[in-house]
């Protein structure tokens, strides 16, 4: 009879872990208007950290940049969703998109296809650099020409002209608008004062 004589065989049932729900653009549109900023990233809805200082910096930069867009661009705040090439919906804190890239030169009612020509992110202390670099890559893959990461705690701006072409500007350096906004310039420290 063998060693297992008298031992009952038990059936082992292996269950798969529950599949996580993949959220859609429609789910993102249904998020509450609760003062938080949401993005759709890889089928998950993520809360993007913001606060008073964050909003104030974005507002002040919008005023400064707004003087130089001269009808060539439409400006958008952080409540605007842009549909990335990979399907994610990103909402930069400030963005400019060429009028020529918008349907009939006007913003659509829902999400905008493609990334803005200029995407600006104001970085919160809790944000992860790997996530930020993934976002920068998505912006360029989806049509951005420049991406600015503003670091208020360090009083720095990381200016990307391509996914791997970065210029790090410190408090006393001058941030220019480059080819997009040739007349625009501001001392980096002024963005955070």
């Amino acid at each position: 009879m063998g060693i297992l004589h008298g031992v009952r065989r038990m059936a082992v049932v292996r269950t798969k872990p529950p599949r996580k729900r993949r959220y859609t653009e429609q789910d993102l549109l249904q998020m509450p208007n609760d003062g938080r900023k949401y993005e759709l990233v890889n089928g998950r809805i993520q809360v993007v950290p913001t606060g008073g200082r964050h909003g104030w910096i974005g507002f002040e930069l919008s005023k400064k940049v707004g003087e130089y867009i001269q009808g060539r661009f439409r400006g958008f705040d952080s409540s605007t969703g842009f549909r990335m090439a990979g399907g994610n919906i990103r909402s930069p804190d400030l963005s400019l998109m060429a009028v020529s890239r918008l349907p009939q030169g006007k913003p659509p009612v829902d999400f905008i296809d493609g990334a803005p020509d200029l995407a600006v992110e104001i970085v919160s202390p809790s944000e992860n650099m790997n996530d930020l670099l993934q976002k920068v890559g998505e912006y360029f893959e989806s049509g951005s020409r420049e991406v600015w990461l503003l670091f208020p705690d360090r009083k720095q701006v990381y200016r990307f002209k391509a996914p791997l072409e970065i210029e790090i500007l410190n408090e006393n350096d001058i941030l220019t608008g480059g080819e997009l906004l040739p007349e625009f310039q501001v001392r980096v420290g002024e963005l955070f004062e």
Side-chain angles (χ1 to χ4, degrees):
M1 291 262 246
I3 266 185
L4 295 178
H5 184 285
V7 176
R8 290 188 193 175
R9 291 188 176 190
M10 297 177 72
V12 176
V13 177
R14 294 196 174 133
T15 59
K16 291 182 182 178
R19 182 181 287 188
K20 290 184 180 178
R21 177 176 179 215
R22 287 193 63 81
Y23 289 91
T24 66
E25 290 181 15
Q26 193 59 39
D27 294 317
L28 183 60
L29 289 169
Q30 300 300 319
M31 295 306 295
N33 185 6
D34 58 4
R36 294 180 178 168
K37 179 177 156 184
Y38 296 96
E39 292 181 333
L40 179 64
V41 180
N42 302 324
R44 294 184 354 245
I45 293 179
Q46 292 183 343
V47 176
V48 179
T50 61
R53 176 178 69 171
H54 190 113
W56 175 78
I57 292 169
F59 180 78
E60 292 298 317
L61 181 59
S62 295
K63 290 190 313 188
K64 288 176 178 22
V65 168
E67 297 176 29
Y68 298 94
I69 61 175
Q70 302 167 347
R72 298 174 301 146
F73 296 97
R74 296 286 184 249
F76 300 94
D77 68 10
S78 64
S79 65
T80 307
F82 291 87
R83 191 178 288 113
M84 300 291 104
N88 289 340
I89 305 294
R90 296 292 192 175
S91 298
D93 293 306
L94 169 67
S95 20
L96 298 179
M97 188 168 237
V99 171
S100 62
R101 292 183 59 208
L102 295 166
Q104 290 86 44
K106 297 183 187 214
V109 173
D110 58 354
F111 300 123
I112 299 173
D113 287 326
D117 292 279
L118 172 64
V120 179
E121 294 286 352
I122 301 163
V123 181
S124 299
S126 63
E127 289 188 88
N128 175 303
M129 195 60 180
N130 287 336
D131 292 341
L132 288 167
L133 293 176
Q134 176 186 343
K135 196 181 283 196
V136 167
E138 279 185 63
Y139 287 142
F140 280 107
E141 178 186 358
S142 303
S144 283
R145 294 168 50 197
E146 279 205 24
V147 177
W148 300 349
L149 300 181
L150 278 61
F151 292 88
D153 289 342
R154 298 186 231 166
K155 295 186 178 175
Q156 286 184 323
V157 174
Y158 287 16
R159 180 181 182 199
F160 291 84
K161 297 178 189 175
L164 299 175
E165 185 182 334
I166 182 174
E167 178 183 12
I168 298 175
L169 301 167
N170 294 302
E171 185 174 4
N172 292 315
D173 295 329
I174 302 297
L175 172 65
T176 68
E179 292 177 13
L180 294 175
L181 301 170
E183 301 87 18
F184 174 80
Q185 61 178 341
V186 64
R187 185 178 62 81
V188 168
E190 287 180 40
L191 300 172
F192 310 111
E193 293 172 347

